[in-house]
Amino acid sequence: MLDQTITQLRQLKLSGMANALVTQQEQPGTYEGLSFEERLQILADNELNDREHRKQQRLLKAAKLKIAANPQDIDYQHPRGLKKSLVASLLQCDWINKHQNLLLTGPCGSGKTYIACALAHAACMKGYRVKYYRLSRLLLELAQTKADGSYSKALQTLARLDLLILDDWGLEPLKAAQRNDLMEIMDDRNSSTSTAILSQLPTDQWYQSIGDNTLADAILDRLMHNAHRIKLKGESLRKRQAIT
């Protein structure tokens, strides 16, 4: 009868409960002293934990992070101006809950992408919907959606993300249509979701990189007014790792 129950639990997609019941079956000495209610609570807890884990893995897969970064592995020893207290605060994800932004600047190889992906990993673990893009690839995808008629749907999908990470901001000059796309994205996300911008350019050069003063004012006002800022400096981490 117990084997039949385990099979039925799996058919009902209650794999967490099924696995916990298998464990109870295999270790009778551990559980035989517990009451029915206690054993049932263990099954329910295991199912809840299993579902939470599967949700986290789905969110991580959907985020398509460039680096599988672990917050515990962030390097604070390298002299690049990274404040541990600020990162610790950001890892709590309260800034995402408050729909605040993050501006992460620094030279090539300073670890911007790793830090952003570590923060994104923490966000996924807390149940937030995240997506990583290189800015040029996002703009290319949006151009393609205009051709196949799915542009509005693509914008809606971006607007629903709790955290949108845009890497390599300002690396390439923008065309007029791309500036308009950025404006649409930022307007949809303004004060309702969070956006993280990663750039080699300091923020005071972003106006020039956008290429249109009016749109630059509108886009950057939506990004900067409630943003946390991390300014990295110093020698490339990749260069140091290559030497060692």
Side-chain angles (χ1 to χ4, degrees):
M1 181 176 293
L2 198 57
D3 290 339
Q4 182 180 354
T5 300
I6 293 170
T7 299
Q8 290 174 332
L9 288 173
R10 297 197 188 282
Q11 290 173 342
L12 291 168
K13 301 188 184 302
L14 298 172
S15 57
M17 294 186 74
N19 293 336
L21 190 55
V22 169
T23 300
Q24 291 188 18
Q25 184 182 33
E26 293 174 345
Q27 302 175 21
T30 303
Y31 298 97
E32 63 185 4
L34 301 179
S35 67
F36 171 80
E37 290 81 4
E38 289 172 327
R39 295 180 67 166
L40 182 60
Q41 184 63 57
I42 291 173
L43 298 185
D45 289 344
N46 209 72
E47 178 63 31
L48 187 63
N49 292 336
D50 184 69
R51 291 191 179 198
E52 183 67 19
H53 175 71
R54 282 186 277 131
K55 178 183 178 182
Q56 291 170 344
Q57 295 308 305
R58 286 196 303 271
L59 290 170
L60 277 173
K61 184 177 180 180
K64 295 186 177 179
L65 302 180
K66 184 176 182 179
I67 301 172
N70 191 323
Q72 297 178 349
D73 294 331
I74 295 176
D75 184 355
Y76 297 100
Q77 303 302 315
H78 187 66
R80 50 178 171 161
L82 184 61
K83 296 181 180 179
K84 193 171 185 178
S85 58
L86 175 56
V87 175
S89 176
L90 293 173
L91 286 170
Q92 299 304 310
C93 298
D94 190 48
W95 64 287
I96 301 176
N97 191 49
K98 293 179 178 178
H99 312 312
Q100 297 170 345
N101 299 323
L102 173 65
L103 311 180
L104 183 47
T105 59
C108 180
S110 57
K112 300 183 296 296
T113 302
Y114 191 95
I115 293 168
C117 288
L119 294 174
H121 184 279
C124 289
M125 293 298 100
K126 292 181 180 292
Y128 291 105
R129 294 163 297 181
V130 180
K131 192 67 174 290
Y132 169 94
Y133 282 101
R134 287 187 63 242
L135 180 59
S136 59
R137 291 188 180 179
L138 173 59
L139 295 175
L140 178 59
E141 285 187 18
L142 288 176
Q144 293 170 342
T145 63
K146 292 176 185 177
D148 63 24
S150 59
Y151 181 68
S152 295
K153 183 178 180 181
L155 288 178
Q156 291 171 7
T157 299
L158 291 172
R160 287 193 294 267
L161 294 170
D162 297 305
L163 173 61
L164 173 64
I165 301 173
L166 297 179
D167 203 348
D168 290 333
W169 177 279
L171 199 61
E172 301 173 4
L174 298 177
K175 300 176 182 178
Q178 294 174 325
R179 290 192 287 268
N180 290 329
D181 290 341
L182 268 184
M183 181 61 204
E184 293 288 346
I185 294 169
M186 297 310 163
D187 192 54
D188 286 343
R189 300 183 59 77
N190 185 37
S191 299
S192 59
T193 52
S194 295
T195 304
I197 303 296
L198 286 58
S199 179
Q200 294 182 38
L201 299 177
T203 55
D204 59 8
Q205 295 183 26
W206 288 8
Y207 281 88
Q208 183 179 356
S209 71
I210 292 174
D212 179 285
N213 290 338
T214 302
L215 280 177
D217 278 332
I219 292 169
L220 296 181
D221 178 67
R222 287 161 173 76
L223 276 175
M224 294 182 171
H225 78 279
N226 66 348
H228 300 271
R229 303 192 184 205
I230 297 178
K231 300 178 183 179
L232 301 178
K233 59 183 180 180
E235 186 181 37
S236 168
L237 283 167
R238 286 193 287 268
K239 180 179 178 181
R240 188 187 69 165
Q241 290 166 356
I243 294 174
T244 58

